[in-house]
Amino acid sequence: MNILPESARVRRPAHRREHLDNGLTILIIEDQRLPAISLTLLLPAGGATDPPGQAGTASLVAGLLNKGSRRRDADSLAVAIDDMGASYSARTGRDSLVVSLAGLSEDFMDLIALLGEITLEPAFPADEFHLLRQRRLHALTRAMDQAATVADWTFSHGLYGEHPYGPPLSGTAASMTNLAETAPEAWHRRLFVPAGSCLAIAGAVPAEQALKAAADIFDSWQGTSPPPVSHPDPVPAARRILLVDRPDSPQAQIRWGHLGISRRDPRHDAAELVNDVLGGGGFSSRLMQTIRSEKGLTYGIHSGFSARLHAGPFQISTFTPTASVGEVLRDIDDLVGAFREGGPTAMELDDARRRLVGGYPLQFETATQVAGQLLEMELYGLPEDTLESYQDRILAVDLGQAADLAHDLLHPESALAVVVGDLSAMGSAPADWGTTETVDMGLLFSARTGSC
Amino acid sequence: MNILPESARVRRPAHRREHLDNGLTILIIEDQRLPAISLTLLLPAGGATDPPGQAGTASLVAGLLNKGSRRRDADSLAVAIDDMGASYSARTGRDSLVVSLAGLSEDFMDLIALLGEITLEPAFPADEFHLLRQRRLHALTRAMDQAATVADWTFSHGLYGEHPYGPPLSGTAASMTNLAETAPEAWHRRLFVPAGSCLAIAGAVPAEQALKAAADIFDSWQGTSPPPVSHPDPVPAARRILLVDRPDSPQAQIRWGHLGISRRDPRHDAAELVNDVLGGGGFSSRLMQTIRSEKGLTYGIHSGFSARLHAGPFQISTFTPTASVGEVLRDIDDLVGAFREGGPTAMELDDARRRLVGGYPLQFETATQVAGQLLEMELYGLPEDTLESYQDRILAVDLGQAADLAHDLLHPESALAVVVGDLSAMGSAPADWGTTETVDMGLLFSARTGSC
């Protein structure tokens, strides 16, 4: 399958791209197959812009946008959406905040007016702030009971520390408790600006009508971004392991990794291909074949690069019976080390190319999915041919390039490992790691991170 | 919107429907928009066919189908799927077991052969049985920590008792522990038969080719269903309340309901319309407006009819601070009672019609969604025009019919209520209910149900 059959090729999705004078980009994906329309507003500011000690602010803003505007309270907004049979969502990433509203295309004018009201005129009422914050605090408490979550958070904090990629996107108990009632409104006033933002309109509305309505609603949106706060990328640290004690837990959660690459790095797609061979989720990956299938030490093991504006983490995740922690850590070291030196085999690379190229078309089934792909390009400023050249670029990665990438991007010598489990039952398993530190979850996520 | 604009109308999805000699129905939905194909095999036997004391058998069968065939072990099957970049899933309902496989259309011949191998020739290896059962037992233990799950299970057991709709679909600790290694294979041999089953092929494969391949693979499938076990519908019981103690829990989970209707009942769609006004999920429903918005006694409250072969439950679900349990129960009684006597207002009915008709087109975005809608028609033997007449039928329900339905289908006089919370803090709140019984979760789901 090194020559892509035409029948498996994803074509450039037909769309229009325009700009308003205030800097807002508008994407129109006209699609008349169903009488439906989806509106997605992407803001290029997410959890990474939370002020120090205020982790979770962007996430709270996303949760509060539809909880009251200058014209209506939370109930009236909810009823307005319900009465159209429409669906609404808002979510935060490290680099973005995304608000979506979808419904019947015949309701388009009402839907876009409502999207404008929710995003440009939120009221952030005090009672809704306290109600949502209380729910988030409950959710954070429950999350700390999950060993997998504790492992993810400890890894992220260990790798990034006080860098904004360090704390959980949803905040910590301390940062949530300390947050002032006025914080969401202040975040919105400072960062909710048109320049760099993008509105995608996908579905059965004529492009001209969609464009005109978008201009009518969003032309008055003003404001300029503050100069971006510059965060130096964290420096690779010496190899070390962080241990979190969970007495009586029969299994241990393991994380292993180091700094990865940025979504804007031209090697991004090839890095995903190379990772697919090592541990990208499939049963045939090296990590899965050795540690699950041959040795039976885990039910699943997975590796991946997280794509972000700055270098995101490269992370391997798995779990194993407490007594096997040492063996799994050694196996990971050995497997990553060997892959770094030798790269994939010809057959492994062929299989991975086929998986990535074959799974690609299913990411373009609906107009909303197409909008999502185009918005990611806008957010990270990716080259114009990113989508339609993807399959050819993946097929073009040869063995030499794949081996070079594995060598450049994998770094067992500076890996951070995290183990969450019953330390008393683990013996001296992780003793051969450079530095060992036992971490107190309560200190890490209730006080220290929160007060920084 | 009592006259449906053409632009909002869902048309009859184009498809072919054929039968093999062994009784298997084949649906072909040809769709050339993307180079993808999805295969879905529906078997008209699910959790309701679990033998007494063996709840969870069908669910375990679904989990084990891809864990080894007569030709390959679990790993080889997983690698075969991975290498095509395909996705696989199997799930159980009360009335059905559904296996899906999706991938590139150019892999169609390999995909359909694999689907045949997985569904017709599973090996149910003993080690995979024990591994999966152990994981399920862990999951059941964790589920019992969730007050919402405990409430759902207690309600279901209280309403259906030893009827097969009584126990959890996933089984109980007792039924899972007692299950013999041979039970999944026995279930498969007895119930996995072509008559009444249906294979849907949706995507970019020519209809003739799809049909021929389906016949090649599934023609040899033999077997006839055992005569269906007849379960009398449970008789409406006297009004009563079941209490489950969770000391120190600040909130209580509440369920309230009674027997509803069958998916085959011609009133099914109109019943969903009427329920939408009462508590069908929206913010403007009567339950939500009174108990959440006016009184602030809960964050959310929802009602619904579950559609099954036999009469499924009508169930209201909510949660509230312990001190408010009595008030919420009285409010539910009052609201359901008033709605039963008076039915919806003209404006309420208009809004609900609009919501249901407006949300309908979004259920047909992808070829896979269309296949799912057609398979539901096959499973319940619904009239041929079910899909394309839906919107018109909803618009045609008038105030008198809606009032009659509310009166016929709602029964506060025989309601079952379940409260899971801190009983010592609840006082005499539910004292005005006919019969009060305190239920021990351990007894209910570990021993009694399991040994029946």
Side-chain angles (χ1 to χ4, degrees):
Chain A
M1 186 161 147
N2 266 350
I3 295 163
L4 184 67
E6 276 307 304
S7 63
R9 185 178 291 278
V10 169
R11 276 161 228 293
R12 180 184 178 76
H15 68 278
R16 274 181 70 173
R17 184 170 181 274
E18 307 280 348
H19 299 279
L20 300 187
D21 288 343
N22 58 12
L24 177 68
T25 300
I26 298 176
L27 299 173
I28 315 274
I29 302 112
E30 189 177 336
D31 182 340
Q32 297 285 350
R33 290 178 299 188
L34 280 172
I37 191 81
S38 81
L39 307 169
T40 313
L41 180 68
L42 176 141
L43 184 85
T49 63
D50 288 345
Q54 298 187 24
T57 307
S59 167
L60 211 59
V61 168
L64 286 171
L65 285 175
N66 68 330
K67 293 295 184 288
S69 72
R70 282 182 223 146
R71 307 182 217 174
R72 288 187 266 200
D73 67 8
D75 265 23
S76 311
L77 285 172
V79 169
I81 293 170
D82 272 1
D83 283 354
M84 291 188 277
S87 62
Y88 168 86
S89 75
R91 60 185 187 282
T92 334
R94 293 284 173 181
D95 303 323
S96 65
L97 189 156
V98 175
V99 184
S100 303
L101 197 51
L104 273 187
S105 43
E106 63 166 11
D107 291 329
F108 169 66
M109 298 304 285
D110 291 334
L111 287 164
I112 196 165
L114 200 54
L115 181 69
E117 182 180 340
I118 285 171
T119 55
L120 306 184
E121 308 171 38
F124 300 111
D127 55 341
E128 297 287 348
F129 168 85
H130 290 287
L131 195 59
L132 184 61
R133 185 173 66 169
Q134 196 55 42
R135 288 178 62 81
R136 293 284 174 94
L137 278 165
H138 281 156
L140 286 170
T141 307
R142 284 197 306 275
M144 300 269 278
D145 285 339
Q146 308 291 326
T149 306
V150 169
D152 285 335
W153 289 1
T154 306
F155 180 81
S156 174
H157 181 81
L159 199 60
Y160 288 101
E162 310 308 335
H163 184 279
Y165 288 173
L169 256 184
S170 50
T172 64
S175 69
M176 277 291 109
T177 306
N178 295 337
L179 210 62
E181 224 174 74
T182 52
E185 204 275 327
W187 192 99
H188 184 270
R189 196 175 43 230
R190 193 164 58 89
L191 291 163
F192 224 96
V193 296
S197 292
C198 186
L199 171 68
I201 304 176
V205 170
E208 283 305 326
Q209 184 196 346
L211 198 58
K212 182 170 179 324
D216 285 350
I217 302 285
F218 288 96
D219 242 347
S220 62
W221 187 12
Q222 292 304 331
T224 47
S225 312
V229 183
S230 166
H231 298 285
D233 270 346
V235 192
R239 187 173 157 87
R240 67 196 176 116
I241 189 165
L242 301 177
L243 305 175
V244 182
D245 198 18
R246 280 173 74 95
D248 301 326
S249 178
Q251 289 200 314
Q253 289 282 342
I254 295 177
R255 301 293 179 270
W256 186 108
H258 46 69
L259 291 182
I261 59 175
S262 158
R263 182 63 185 89
R264 310 175 73 155
D265 191 313
R267 301 170 301 176
H268 171 267
D269 295 341
E272 292 212 324
L273 177 70
V274 169
N275 173 65
D276 192 84
V277 176
L278 176 62
F283 259 74
S284 42
S285 78
R286 287 199 183 179
L287 290 170
M288 200 75 131
Q289 279 299 304
T290 302
I291 299 178
R292 182 194 198 279
S293 302
E294 285 167 29
K295 299 189 148 195
L297 296 175
T298 187
Y299 201 79
I301 181 164
H302 179 261
S303 70
F305 290 95
S306 292
R308 299 179 186 166
L309 195 58
H310 302 281
F314 168 76
Q315 180 175 324
I316 296 173
S317 306
T318 189
F319 55 94
T320 192
T322 311
S324 312
V325 167
E327 187 175 357
V328 168
L329 283 171
R330 277 189 299 277
D331 285 342
I332 293 175
D333 275 339
D334 291 347
L335 285 161
V336 177
F339 190 65
R340 176 175 201 262
E341 297 314 317
T345 67
M347 188 186 289
E348 283 177 328
L349 188 63
D350 264 354
D351 287 347
R353 281 194 292 234
R354 181 172 166 78
R355 278 194 291 274
L356 266 60
V357 169
Y360 195 61
L362 287 174
Q363 301 170 36
F364 295 85
E365 275 196 292
T366 66
T368 307
Q369 283 178 311
V370 171
Q373 297 280 353
L374 293 171
L375 285 170
E376 185 180 352
M377 286 174 55
E378 294 290 332
L379 177 59
Y380 293 111
L382 303 181
E384 213 176 322
D385 71 342
T386 297
L387 299 181
E388 66 268 35
S389 71
Y390 176 84
Q391 292 170 310
D392 288 327
R393 280 183 290 119
I394 290 295
L395 291 176
V397 176
D398 65 26
L399 265 181
Q401 291 165 329
D404 288 349
L405 257 185
H407 192 269
D408 291 349
L409 298 179
L410 297 171
H411 298 288
E413 78 284 0
S414 65
L416 165 70
V418 169
V419 177
V420 179
D422 188 337
L423 299 188
S424 68
M426 218 173 292
S428 61
D432 53 347
W433 278 70
T435 309
T436 304
E437 186 186 341
T438 305
V439 176
D440 182 316
M441 276 300 296
L443 276 181
L444 192 55
F445 292 112
S446 302
R448 210 175 77 193
T449 310
S451 63
C452 71
Chain B
M1 183 158 147
N2 268 351
I3 296 165
L4 184 67
E6 275 308 304
S7 64
R9 184 178 291 279
V10 169
R11 276 160 228 295
R12 180 182 178 76
H15 68 280
R16 274 181 69 174
R17 184 171 180 274
E18 307 281 349
H19 300 280
L20 299 187
D21 288 342
N22 58 12
L24 177 68
T25 301
I26 297 176
L27 298 174
I28 315 273
I29 302 112
E30 189 177 335
D31 182 339
Q32 297 284 350
R33 291 178 299 189
L34 279 173
I37 191 82
S38 82
L39 306 169
T40 313
L41 180 69
L42 177 139
L43 184 85
T49 64
D50 288 344
Q54 298 186 24
T57 306
S59 166
L60 210 59
V61 168
L64 285 171
L65 285 175
N66 68 330
K67 292 296 184 289
S69 72
R70 281 182 224 145
R71 306 183 217 174
R72 287 186 266 201
D73 66 8
D75 265 24
S76 309
L77 284 171
V79 168
I81 293 169
D82 272 0
D83 283 354
M84 292 187 278
S87 62
Y88 168 87
S89 76
R91 59 185 188 281
T92 335
R94 293 282 173 183
D95 303 323
S96 65
L97 190 156
V98 175
V99 184
S100 302
L101 197 51
L104 273 188
S105 44
E106 64 164 12
D107 291 330
F108 169 66
M109 297 303 285
D110 291 334
L111 287 165
I112 195 165
L114 200 54
L115 182 69
E117 182 180 340
I118 286 171
T119 55
L120 306 184
E121 308 170 37
F124 300 111
D127 56 339
E128 297 288 347
F129 168 84
H130 290 287
L131 195 60
L132 184 61
R133 184 172 67 167
Q134 197 53 43
R135 287 176 64 79
R136 292 284 172 94
L137 278 165
H138 281 156
L140 286 170
T141 308
R142 284 197 307 273
M144 300 268 279
D145 286 339
Q146 308 290 324
T149 306
V150 169
D152 285 335
W153 289 1
T154 307
F155 180 82
S156 174
H157 181 81
L159 198 60
Y160 288 102
E162 310 307 336
H163 184 280
Y165 288 174
L169 256 183
S170 51
T172 64
S175 70
M176 277 290 109
T177 305
N178 295 336
L179 210 62
E181 225 174 75
T182 53
E185 203 276 327
W187 192 98
H188 184 270
R189 197 175 42 232
R190 192 164 58 89
L191 290 163
F192 223 96
V193 296
S197 291
C198 186
L199 171 68
I201 303 176
V205 169
E208 284 304 327
Q209 185 196 345
L211 198 57
K212 180 169 180 325
D216 285 348
I217 302 285
F218 288 95
D219 243 347
S220 61
W221 187 11
Q222 293 304 331
T224 47
S225 312
V229 182
S230 167
H231 299 285
D233 269 348
V235 192
R239 187 173 157 88
R240 67 194 178 119
I241 189 165
L242 300 177
L243 305 175
V244 182
D245 196 19
R246 280 173 75 95
D248 301 327
S249 179
Q251 289 200 314
Q253 288 282 341
I254 294 177
R255 302 293 179 271
W256 186 108
H258 47 69
L259 292 182
I261 59 175
S262 158
R263 181 63 185 87
R264 308 174 75 153
D265 191 312
R267 302 170 299 177
H268 171 267
D269 295 341
E272 292 213 324
L273 176 70
V274 169
N275 173 65
D276 192 84
V277 176
L278 176 63
F283 259 75
S284 42
S285 78
R286 285 198 184 180
L287 290 169
M288 200 74 132
Q289 279 299 303
T290 302
I291 299 178
R292 182 194 198 279
S293 302
E294 285 168 28
K295 299 187 148 198
L297 295 175
T298 187
Y299 199 79
I301 182 164
H302 179 260
S303 71
F305 291 95
S306 290
R308 299 180 187 167
L309 195 57
H310 302 281
F314 168 76
Q315 181 174 323
I316 297 174
S317 307
T318 188
F319 54 93
T320 191
T322 310
S324 311
V325 166
E327 185 174 358
V328 168
L329 284 171
R330 278 190 298 277
D331 285 340
I332 292 176
D333 276 338
D334 291 348
L335 285 162
V336 177
F339 190 65
R340 176 175 200 264
E341 297 314 317
T345 67
M347 189 186 288
E348 283 176 329
L349 189 63
D350 264 354
D351 287 347
R353 281 195 290 238
R354 184 174 164 76
R355 276 193 292 276
L356 266 59
V357 168
Y360 195 62
L362 287 174
Q363 300 170 35
F364 296 86
E365 273 196 293
T366 66
T368 306
Q369 283 178 310
V370 171
Q373 298 281 353
L374 294 171
L375 285 170
E376 185 180 351
M377 286 175 55
E378 294 291 331
L379 177 60
Y380 294 110
L382 304 181
E384 212 177 322
D385 70 343
T386 298
L387 299 181
E388 64 269 34
S389 70
Y390 175 84
Q391 292 171 310
D392 288 327
R393 281 183 290 119
I394 290 295
L395 291 176
V397 176
D398 67 25
L399 265 181
Q401 292 165 329
D404 288 349
L405 256 186
H407 192 269
D408 291 348
L409 298 179
L410 297 172
H411 299 288
E413 77 284 0
S414 65
L416 165 71
V418 169
V419 177
V420 179
D422 188 337
L423 300 187
S424 68
M426 218 174 291
S428 61
D432 53 348
W433 278 70
T435 309
T436 303
E437 186 186 340
T438 305
V439 176
D440 181 316
M441 276 299 297
L443 276 181
L444 190 56
F445 292 112
S446 302
R448 211 175 75 193
T449 310
S451 62
C452 69

